[in-house]
Amino acid sequence: MTTNLPVTTGHQLGRRSWAEPWKIKMVEPLRVTSPDQREHALAEAGYNTFLLRSDDVYIDLLTDSGTSAMSDRQWAGLLLGDESYAGSRNFYQLEEAVRSAYGYQHVVPTHQGRGAEHLISQVAIRPGQYVPGNMYFTTTRAHQELAGGVFEDVIIDEAHDPESEHPFKGNVDIARLERLIAREGAKNIAYVSLAGTVNMAGGQPVSMECVRAVRALCDRHGIRVFLDATRMVENAFFIQEREPGYAGKTIAEILREFCSYTDGAWMSAKKDSLVNIGGWLALNDRDLFEEARNLVVVYEGLHTYGGLAGRDMQAMAIGIAESLQEDHVRARIGQVRYLGDLLARAGVPFVRPVGGHAVFLDARRFYPHLSQDVFPAQTLAAELYLDSGVRSMERGVVSAGRDPATGEHHYPRLELTRLTIPRRVYTQAHMDIVAESVQAVYEQRESAKGLVMTYEPRYLRFFQARFDRL
Ligand code: F0G
């Protein structure tokens, strides 16, 4: 099946504006609610946007995960699903797509990213070992800790500063990583957990120079480097745009080169790869792969479907090819930046520079009168929903959870509310509405009082915690 869409957009016509390299074939109606309905729905949801029903949401910017619109090619691919229990042809198509786009040898499909995080953590971490990473991600760190690992943040300081304009805020602080290796010894480092882009820092990229330096340092100490490739295509776009020597390379070439400095990767295909479900773990080491392939049978399903239907793997294989089209990535990030520009004009504080998948509102500067103990970012997500039915997500103290050793809250320096843009779903006019609503909430910022947590689940509390108004 051909996945090469003919694309002629503003970019290729030599214009400065970005435009979507597609037109809309099928639509889904949106529902607008009244302020009273929203007040009721949010109280029912314990002031947690994860607990809202999507029917009560107008524009859904909760996440870019699994919320993409698939192309006509991907939908057609669903009909080619080979639902054999073992050896499905769609698995081999997926394997080939991952090998050619990302360059790794061996592929284990999983139902989504955290399935792959579970496998890599179980096969590559011994209890007590350190796992240095460029900022934590919620599910990634949870699986590392469940495997007995100790996460250590080795991202550069600029990543924690929402106002820093550093072009690669996702970079590893090489000196910090070196100090950790010296302090604990290379044997006590499970692997370096590198993510591109860095979600919790605002979708910020890692440079090629950085991954090369990480590789060189790890080679000297015999430490492996594994990549969270979830939004690596978006990361490649930033390298093409910002890093000397890469302007003439394609996103596909940059992706391959970046991955070549790592020993394997886990993937939530629900992001870059434009599918509603799916993921994979890819490894170059044959022995480690055999272990992961054995474990997948216990937790996900046979190693040729990993918890997915054959049709899901087919859609993923096609989505991988589509995700690498230059005009697609340019329009995708162009839309995120469009929203950022509107908010900048309104004087709303958010993380600079705008990253790949979302605009992250800076709740600390938005609500300077609220301390982190009353959950400013959670409050902002609640107020935004009440204003317009736009759903966003907290990425601050609630998401950071507790230190497993001390039981204390992690207090991250970044207290953010994420406006996450699904791929190929909303229009520029929807972004205008979102910006208007954020501006309205910003104008009433002094009246916000904060929230108190009334229920806290044990794992990944942000998904299911409940709150009340103060
Ligand atoms: N890694 C990163 C960087 C992610 O953003 C996610 C998911 C995962 C791993 C886990 O993948 O959801 O398929 O199991 N991020 C979603 C988000 C949930 O909203 O940021 P998953």
Side-chain angles (χ1 to χ4, degrees), residues 145-209:
E145 287 174 353
L146 284 168
V150 182
F151 177 80
E152 181 134 334
D153 193 354
V154 293
I155 203 165
I156 57 172
D157 282 336
E158 286 87 343
H160 298 282
D161 174 4
E163 292 175 83
S164 162
E165 294 278 356
H166 193 294
F168 291 103
K169 283 169 93 172
N171 279 356
V172 170
D173 181 336
I174 300 292
R176 190 172 287 172
L177 177 58
E178 214 159 4
R179 281 199 301 278
L180 175 72
I181 298 170
R183 193 186 81 206
E184 301 299 335
K187 292 224 157 16
N188 291 317
I189 310 290
Y191 54 87
V192 173
S193 174
L194 186 70
T197 59
V198 181
N199 191 350
M200 303 303 277
Q204 303 294 334
V206 179
S207 69
M208 198 70 86
E209 187 185 15

Side-chain angles (χ1 to χ4, degrees), residues 63 112-114 117 137 139 199 228 230-231 268 271 418:
T63 176
Q112 59 182 80
R114 70 198 72 177
E117 289 172 337
F137 182 69
T139 57
N199 191 350
D228 182 337
T230 297
R231 297 184 186 83
S268 171
K271 284 76 163 178
R418 191 179 73 175

Side-chain angles (χ1 to χ4, degrees), residues 110-129:
T110 59
H111 77 282
Q112 59 182 80
R114 70 198 72 177
E117 289 172 337
H118 177 214
L119 298 180
I120 187 70
S121 303
Q122 292 297 325
V123 301
I125 300 173
R126 272 186 287 106
Q129 279 188 318

Side-chain angles (χ1 to χ4, degrees), residues 18 234 330-342 354-360 419-422 431:
W18 58 271
E234 290 170 6
R330 184 179 144 85
R332 188 280 184 284
I333 293 177
Q335 187 179 41
V336 179
R337 286 178 177 168
Y338 174 79
L339 176 59
D341 288 345
L342 294 176
V354 172
H357 65 301
V359 176
F360 288 69
L419 303 168
T420 338
I421 317 298
M431 296 302 113

Side-chain angles (χ1 to χ4, degrees), residues 309-332:
R311 56 180 171 270
D312 298 328
M313 294 188 284
Q314 188 67 25
M316 202 178 348
I318 298 168
I320 289 171
E322 289 183 4
S323 75
L324 294 171
Q325 289 169 2
E326 305 278 319
D327 278 358
H328 158 69
V329 189
R330 184 179 144 85
R332 188 280 184 284

Side-chain angles (χ1 to χ4, degrees), residues 95-114:
E95 181 181 60
E96 183 43 41
V98 173
R99 280 181 179 157
S100 86
Y102 294 85
Y104 302 112
Q105 282 302 304
H106 310 294
V107 180
V108 184
T110 59
H111 77 282
Q112 59 182 80
R114 70 198 72 177

